[in-house]
Amino acid sequence: MRTPIIAGNWKMNKTIEEGLDLVEAIKGHTLNEKVEVVLCVPFTDIKPIKESIEGTAIKLGAQNMHWEDAGAYTGEISPPMLKELGVDYVILGHSERRQYFNESDEDVNKKMKSAINHGIRPIICVGESLEEREGQREKEVVKAQIIKGFEGIDSKDIEKTVIAYEPIWAIGTGKTASAEDANDMIAFIRDTIGELYGDLKDKIRIQYGGSVKPNNISELMNQSDIDGALVGGASLNADDFVKLINY
Ligand code: 13P
């Protein structure tokens, strides 16, 4: 059985004070113990949020990192810096980073290897654009992202990684992939992992992301291959996020 994982990606939202208020509000609710809950917060929020989730089952994630341990990379954050703050997860290759900051599959692959080497669990994001879906190339595109992203990743590390399938056209648009379409792609991603790692395909957790809301979460989570959600907008509101965790 794969443990469901629901992660909030706050993106570039929430000052420390706002973030602490949100976490306090989330902590005020009883949370589904069967679900692993992760908050992926801006770098500046990591330390205070870590302190505020102390003693709870909530895990902490970052939204990006460099692959090098240190060096002349102005503005970047390294894996040891995140590790020192007690980060459990890091989102890698989010479509916004691929789109606005030109991150390539090669970058994502280097970051994955580095995260694993430092004991930080990667949440690797893949997904097609609207144009690619309309051209019926979505599977080809996502398969290539998976193959390049996982190049050189050892099978012993597969269980530690999480994949998030986020179709770009569904992010922040209010358009969700239908639960069946999302499941179909996620099953395809699982088969691709099977081609690379055999039976480990049944161990790796694969989330759906893109306009996940309280009104569509249960249908998504009821699908055979969807193991959780990576949530943007609805993770910024405590009531909504708690509804997702308690789907
Ligand atoms: P929304 O939930 O706001 O569509 O964002 C999805 C996302 O990009 C999570 O990483």
Side-chain angles (χ1 to χ4, degrees):
M1 265 301 279
R2 299 182 293 265
T3 305
I5 173 167
I6 297 198
N9 174 10
W10 290 3
K11 308 193 178 182
M12 196 175 72
N13 294 292
K14 303 291 178 190
T15 62
I16 293 175
E17 212 171 300
E18 291 165 348
L20 288 172
D21 284 349
L22 176 55
V23 172
E24 279 312 309
I26 294 170
K27 286 197 303 188
H29 292 79
T30 308
L31 305 179
N32 185 349
E33 286 173 10
K34 297 199 183 88
V35 172
E36 185 175 7
V37 178
V38 187
L39 299 178
C40 299
V41 308
F43 292 130
T44 47
D45 291 0
I46 290 176
K47 194 166 195 286
I49 299 294
K50 177 73 185 174
E51 285 161 11
S52 119
I53 58 175
E54 195 82 33
T56 74
I58 301 172
K59 307 258 177 68
L60 191 64
Q63 300 172 10
N64 180 34
M65 59 166 219
H66 200 278
W67 57 83
E68 293 287 352
D69 284 5
Y73 300 100
T74 302
E76 291 289 320
I77 301 283
S78 76
M81 293 171 183
L82 295 179
K83 197 64 196 164
E84 186 180 38
L85 295 175
V87 161
D88 305 292
Y89 285 91
V90 62
I91 297 174
L92 298 178
H94 192 280
S95 63
E96 287 150 15
R97 298 228 40 102
R98 293 178 189 259
Q99 213 176 339
Y100 307 139
F101 303 97
N102 296 321
E103 270 189 28
S104 65
D105 289 319
E106 289 71 26
D107 297 337
V108 175
N109 178 250
K110 283 190 246 177
K111 292 179 181 199
M112 263 194 83
K113 287 177 179 155
S114 180
I116 289 167
N117 284 339
H118 286 90
I120 304 173
R121 294 171 176 242
I123 299 177
I124 173 176
C125 300
V126 296
E128 80 285 0
S129 66
L130 184 59
E131 197 188 345
E132 288 158 348
R133 178 158 281 255
E134 283 175 346
Q136 282 150 26
R137 297 201 295 120
E138 68 274 18
K139 287 195 169 148
E140 176 194 325
V141 166
V142 167
K143 184 167 186 168
Q145 289 172 335
I146 293 285
I147 290 173
K148 289 183 194 154
F150 279 80
E151 200 179 305
I153 303 292
D154 202 277
S155 51
K156 73 174 177 359
D157 298 316
I158 288 303
E159 268 189 78
K160 294 177 203 146
T161 70
V162 174
I163 299 171
Y165 167 58
E166 300 204 306
I168 297 171
W169 48 270
I171 295 176
T173 56
K175 286 186 203 155
T176 332
S178 72
E180 291 75 21
D181 282 352
N183 193 56
D184 179 59
M185 178 61 97
I186 287 176
F188 173 77
I189 292 171
R190 200 175 295 291
D191 285 343
T192 303
I193 292 294
E195 286 171 24
L196 301 171
Y197 299 102
D199 289 349
L200 288 170
K201 75 180 170 67
D202 295 320
K203 303 266 187 197
I204 195 164
R205 291 180 296 173
I206 311 179
Q207 302 172 302
Y208 168 76
S211 298
V212 175
K213 306 286 177 202
N215 66 7
N216 57 28
I217 184 78
S218 55
E219 199 187 354
L220 288 162
M221 294 303 287
N222 279 334
Q223 301 295 317
S224 58
D225 280 274
I226 302 181
D227 302 318
L230 184 57
V231 186
S235 74
L236 300 175
N237 174 284
D239 288 341
D240 284 350
F241 192 55
V242 168
K243 280 183 192 150
L244 302 184
I245 297 165
N246 296 339
Y247 62 90

